[in-house]
Amino acid sequence: MSMFDPAEKKKEKAMKNKKKKILSDIKNWGLSLIPAGDLHAGLLIDVNEVICGDPSCAPVDTVFTLIWEGGGRGVFAIPLAPNEISQDDLIDFFPDEDTLTQWKAGKKARWPRLPELRYKIGDRVECRIGPHPVKGWAPGRIIRLHYTEPNWPPNMVAPYQIALHDGRLIFAPQDTDQVIRLRPDPAPDAPSSPDYVPDGTEEGLEDGDEDDMEHEGDYEDEEEGGGEGDKVDEQDEEDEDNEPDYNDRGVVSSSSGGAK
């Protein structure tokens, strides 16, 4: 018995053509957002749907790669599947003229720009690792600002990486009191916090370190699917509407290993 199904093959081809049409439309929308003049000269735009293998980032991203004939290059991503992107979404995520100009000139320019953070490296903090109002917080110290990992989308940056007192390394995806907060000053007779021995990479990312953001080659093909990563405890059902989603956007363990 033949396994070939003409109807299924036809359906698959129609879906591929539809996706190709969506990507082409998004590409044309992007071209329309680039100011007329020199920025258009020698420009090629590539738009791809890719899958992130990390459970903390969007499962599907749309990645834009801009390449100029003179050697300039820039990459940015939208955390949506192509069929979910509207023209308004693209306007919100699209790089500004200054960033595009720097990319064309072959200069490094981060997009989106890094926000200012409330805390600094070495600050004593508490991180939300579970739904319990008391036991759901863990003490630690900030060891890195603007943290990223190689398999994350080009524009995904976590505000902080934290070394917890129990030896785990985690990151905080948001700079809010709901996720991370300063610890009260310790009592004079309280034991000191355990030291974290840095490995020389705790300085985080600086403006212009675009190389750390261009990891489109690290994505898995769409057909292969994403991998599984560490997850923290599920939140209680009764707190579901009020608590952060720890599995998707909450404080989760990084893949960098434990404290030294």
Side-chain angles (χ1 to χ4, degrees), residues 183-237:
R183 276 188 288 154
D185 291 334
D189 58 347
S192 60
S193 301
D195 291 331
Y196 174 77
V197 180
D199 60 6
T201 62
E202 279 64 36
E203 70 277 3
L205 302 176
E206 300 294 336
D207 289 333
D209 286 345
E210 187 189 27
D211 290 342
D212 290 324
M213 306 295 285
E214 296 181 358
H215 299 296
E216 71 278 9
D218 295 326
Y219 287 104
E220 299 185 52
D221 292 337
E222 177 191 358
E223 290 78 12
E224 295 177 359
E228 289 295 327
D230 296 334
K231 296 182 180 180
V232 298
D233 294 337
E234 298 279 357
Q235 63 192 52
D236 295 334
E237 290 184 4

Side-chain angles (χ1 to χ4, degrees), residues 2 28 38 74 109 112-113 124 127 138 149 169 173 176 185 207 210 216 239 253 258:
S2 174
N28 290 331
D38 290 343
R113 294 187 176 90
R124 303 168 66 255
C127 299
E149 294 188 1
L169 290 181
T176 65
D185 291 334
D207 289 333
E210 187 189 27
E216 71 278 9
D239 295 329
S253 297

Side-chain angles (χ1 to χ4, degrees), residues 27-45 66-70 94 97 100-101 103-105:
K27 176 180 176 180
N28 290 331
W29 294 347
L31 285 169
S32 71
L33 294 177
I34 296 177
D38 290 343
L39 288 175
H40 271 276
L43 172 63
L44 297 175
I45 295 182
L66 291 75
I67 301 175
W68 284 266
E69 290 180 353
F94 207 79
E97 184 173 358
L100 293 171
T101 300
W103 283 352
K104 182 178 181 180

Side-chain angles (χ1 to χ4, degrees), residues 36-85:
D38 290 343
L39 288 175
H40 271 276
L43 172 63
L44 297 175
I45 295 182
D46 187 35
V47 183
N48 288 289
E49 180 185 45
V50 294
I51 289 179
C52 178
D54 191 288
S56 62
C57 64
V60 181
D61 295 278
T62 302
V63 176
F64 293 71
T65 304
L66 291 75
I67 301 175
W68 284 266
E69 290 180 353
R73 183 174 183 270
V75 178
F76 71 98
I78 297 178
L80 297 169
N83 65 322
E84 298 173 327
I85 296 176

